[in-house]
Amino acid sequence: MSSRFSRRMRRAAREREFIYLIVSHDLSAEGRICDRLAVMKGGEIVEILDVEA
C-alpha cells in the first residue's frame, strides 16, 4: 500500500467521519491508515490496539 494512498484514506476518514474494514496480514501497512486495529484469531477478536499516528 502506498504512503500516498494511506494518507488519503486517513484524511478521508477524519473529514467525512466514516469507518472502513480492511482485512490484511500486514499490520505495519494497515497501521499507517488506522487509528485502531483489531487482531483476530480463529474468527474471534483477541485484541484491540490503538495505533500511534
Side-chain angles (χ1 to χ4, degrees):
M1 179 181 310
S2 73
S3 60
R4 183 177 173 189
F5 176 76
S6 299
R7 286 191 305 269
R8 284 184 176 182
M9 289 292 291
R10 193 172 184 89
R11 183 175 15 141
R14 285 189 179 137
E15 289 173 358
R16 297 187 180 119
E17 297 181 3
F18 71 89
I19 63 170
Y20 43 88
L21 173 68
I22 300 170
V23 178
S24 175
H25 293 273
D26 186 356
L27 294 180
S28 64
E30 304 317 331
R32 291 191 302 247
I33 62 171
C34 299
D35 294 322
R36 293 179 11 158
L37 291 170
V39 178
M40 297 181 75
K41 182 176 181 180
E44 301 286 329
I45 294 177
V46 295
E47 189 171 2
I48 297 176
L49 307 164
D50 289 323
V51 177
E52 295 180 16

